Amino acid sequence: MPSIEKRGKNSWRLIVEGGYDATGKRIQYRRTIRVDDEAILKSKRRLQDYLDMELARFRQEIESGQYLKPERVTFAEFVETWKTNYADINLGAYTRKNYMGYIRSRLLPVFGHMEMSKIRTMHIVSFFTSLRTEGRKDGRDKPLATNTLLNIYKTLKSIFDAAERWKVIPSNPMDGVQRPTPDKREKKALKARKKAYTWQEAADLIVALNDEPEHWRLYYLGVLLGGFRRGEMLGVEWHQVDFERGGIHVEKQISMDEQGRPVEAELKTEESAAFVPMPRWYMAELAQYRRHWMQERLLLGPQWRGGDKQYLFHNGFGDKLYPDTPSLHWRRFLSKHNLPRIRLHDLRHTTAMLLREEGVDLKTIQERLRHTRLSTTADLYTHESDLVSREAADRLEKLNPLSRSRSS
């Protein structure tokens, strides 16, 4: 409960209880105020009204995330301010969920008790050094994956960047911290990992999908043919399917909130929202699937949980699927059919690779995948194509000195 304590002749301490710190201890916010107005001091009623007003204002600052403990604000206290004034406004629910997970499990135990102004670059450098060497499995060191280190780095940088912008700290201790990068072992593993299917492998995949339930078959085909992200395909409703124009309007995606529940969310970028033309044969199959979908909807009757929503791919009762669900089914599907292992997201890579091998220009591929920058398309999706590389090498065959000598 908020309270007021008398401190000195003309000073009082305001106390407001907030949330809990990393150890589960209740956080108390304190502010000492002085009253020098003689007119207020002479009247008990006016003094009490003034103190109550200041207490209410102090409480509002805390609840709105505007309060910062003067000079001695700790990392744990500032995180609450950062979350209210930055993360909740600028980050997607799924990103917030991941960031807060790293904060609770990794950052608060190390930095939570430290004052923001006293955290130095070397503290953070030492922290990342310990992360790189932590973890043991079968008696052998097993450091965290670089991707995990990078996510922790991004979380910490977001917090300190905000602290610097808001003048909570005079300089940013993250400025001297190197961004985590893969070591030679990880680079070798990443290079060896299969990132896309060839034409033949894609054809084998489509044949294998004939044995799958209709909704899974059309889901994976949609990802492959349209270059959709998994959450984008989960978020498609029937009103987004344009049978006249022969394609799908991408408007939203299914993500997860901070509690791990599936929710509708904004797309990754502004460029992600677009109309994606699809092959005519796929649209014909979607039309047939829609008739089956409508029949199943009627049969469910009161068991339907989707309300007015009409997701093409749902949990069997009309509600949103978890984003992890198609990824889990994908891995099982590959094992069942003994197909080469690639990530579900790599079907999107495959879209670009197949189009590139058919001679489609990079700009068109960029527009289909809805990338913000052309460099993303070029760097991530085209440098692995064996066919394109082969064609480039074949163009140099004319320089063969033996062929030139024979022709002369």
Side-chain angles (χ1 to χ4, degrees):
M1 292 289 293
S3 60
I4 302 172
E5 293 180 354
K6 185 81 166 66
R7 295 293 293 170
K9 183 180 178 180
N10 293 342
S11 64
W12 285 262
R13 175 184 285 168
L14 311 177
I15 302 174
V16 175
E17 292 186 345
Y20 296 87
D21 62 19
T23 65
K25 181 180 177 181
R26 187 82 177 186
I27 298 174
Q28 281 194 338
Y29 299 93
R30 298 178 176 86
R31 172 179 287 172
T32 299
I33 61 172
R34 277 187 64 85
V35 182
D36 294 319
D37 190 323
E38 291 297 330
I40 294 177
L41 291 171
K42 287 180 180 180
S43 170
K44 289 185 177 180
R45 182 182 61 79
R46 290 185 64 184
L47 176 61
Q48 188 61 50
D49 288 345
Y50 177 80
L51 294 175
D52 288 342
M53 180 182 66
E54 289 297 312
L55 181 63
R57 184 179 299 168
F58 182 40
R59 183 177 182 180
Q60 177 62 27
E61 281 184 36
I62 294 168
E63 292 177 350
S64 65
Q66 298 176 9
Y67 171 74
L68 287 178
K69 187 177 179 180
E71 298 179 3
R72 296 173 61 87
V73 60
T74 65
F75 181 86
E77 290 168 337
F78 181 75
V79 162
E80 296 301 319
T81 301
W82 166 83
K83 185 176 185 299
T84 300
N85 293 285
Y86 179 79
D88 288 348
I89 300 170
N90 297 288
L91 301 180
Y94 188 59
T95 301
R96 286 201 309 273
K97 174 180 179 295
N98 290 335
Y99 274 27
M100 293 308 298
Y102 291 125
I103 288 171
R104 286 189 291 268
S105 64
R106 298 289 182 176
L107 301 181
L108 287 180
V110 177
F111 300 109
H113 66 287
M114 298 179 68
E115 295 175 22
M116 288 291 288
S117 61
K118 293 183 179 179
I119 299 176
R120 302 287 183 259
T121 299
M122 275 310 302
H123 291 137
I124 301 173
V125 170
S126 298
F127 167 67
F128 277 102
T129 299
S130 68
L131 289 181
R132 288 187 180 93
T133 58
E134 81 165 25
R136 292 184 175 276
K137 184 177 182 181
D138 298 329
R140 294 171 295 179
D141 287 335
K142 186 177 179 62
L144 290 177
T146 298
N147 191 52
T148 301
L149 292 172
L150 183 59
N151 287 332
I152 296 172
Y153 172 89
K154 290 178 179 178
T155 305
L156 200 55
K157 190 174 189 307
S158 177
I159 293 169
F160 279 107
D161 284 353
E164 184 182 30
R165 284 196 305 274
W166 299 337
K167 311 301 182 185
V168 176
I169 54 177
S171 60
N172 194 334
M174 290 295 293
D175 287 346
V177 181
Q178 185 177 1
R179 183 184 177 93
T181 56
D183 57 23
K184 291 182 179 179
R185 176 184 57 82
E186 284 186 293
K187 287 180 180 178
K188 184 177 180 180
L190 286 171
K191 189 174 182 179
R193 181 176 65 81
K194 189 173 182 63
K195 301 177 182 66
Y197 283 143
T198 64
W199 266 102
Q200 185 57 55
E201 289 168 338
D204 293 341
L205 166 69
I206 292 173
V207 171
L209 284 171
N210 287 328
D211 295 333
E212 292 300 299
E214 189 178 25
H215 66 285
W216 281 127
R217 177 174 183 272
L218 291 172
Y219 174 87
Y220 294 127
L221 280 176
V223 173
L224 172 64
L225 300 170
F228 297 104
R229 299 176 179 91
R230 67 175 185 179
E232 293 172 349
M233 202 68 196
L234 290 179
V236 175
E237 296 185 58
W238 282 117
H239 68 82
Q240 296 169 237
V241 180
D242 192 331
F243 288 105
E244 289 187 9
R245 294 179 62 189
I248 297 173
H249 295 273
V250 182
E251 300 173 355
K252 61 182 181 296
Q253 65 174 331
I254 301 300
S255 183
M256 287 195 291
D257 63 13
E258 291 184 51
Q259 287 71 46
R261 298 170 301 200
V263 293
E264 285 189 2
E266 293 183 356
L267 296 169
K268 185 177 181 180
T269 63
E270 291 184 9
E271 290 75 15
S272 296
F275 174 74
V276 180
M278 298 293 284
R280 293 182 179 85
W281 63 268
Y282 180 78
M283 296 303 296
E285 292 201 22
L286 267 190
Q288 182 177 350
Y289 172 62
R290 187 174 189 274
R291 290 192 290 271
H292 299 162
W293 189 98
M294 291 296 183
Q295 292 171 359
E296 291 178 359
R297 164 72 179 87
L298 290 174
L299 289 174
L300 281 170
Q303 291 182 292
W304 179 260
R305 299 289 181 266
D308 294 332
K309 292 294 181 179
Q310 293 192 347
Y311 299 114
L312 274 64
F313 311 106
H314 54 79
N315 67 351
F317 297 94
D319 208 353
K320 296 174 285 292
L321 278 169
Y322 282 84
D324 289 339
T325 300
S327 296
L328 177 61
H329 183 272
W330 172 252
R331 292 192 291 271
R332 292 172 176 170
F333 164 74
L334 294 182
S335 297
K336 175 182 175 183
H337 294 275
N338 196 29
L339 293 169
R341 299 295 292 267
I342 65 171
R343 301 174 306 165
L344 176 55
H345 190 72
D346 291 331
L347 281 185
R348 178 171 160 85
H349 299 187
T350 302
T351 307
M353 202 73 69
L354 299 179
L355 292 174
R356 183 60 172 159
E357 291 182 354
E358 281 294 288
V360 178
D361 63 271
L362 287 180
K363 185 62 178 175
T364 301
I365 298 175
Q366 177 199 2
E367 292 174 354
R368 187 163 188 81
L369 297 181
R370 294 157 288 120
H371 282 148
T372 303
R373 295 182 297 274
L374 182 62
S375 59
T376 302
T377 310
D379 292 344
L380 295 181
Y381 299 115
T382 62
H383 68 287
E384 294 287 340
S385 174
D386 292 338
L387 180 57
V388 173
S389 297
R390 182 68 261 162
E391 289 179 350
D394 288 343
R395 293 177 183 272
L396 302 176
E397 290 292 344
K398 65 180 68 174
L399 296 177
N400 183 345
L402 296 177
S403 298
R404 291 170 64 87
S405 62
R406 283 196 297 267
S407 61
S408 61

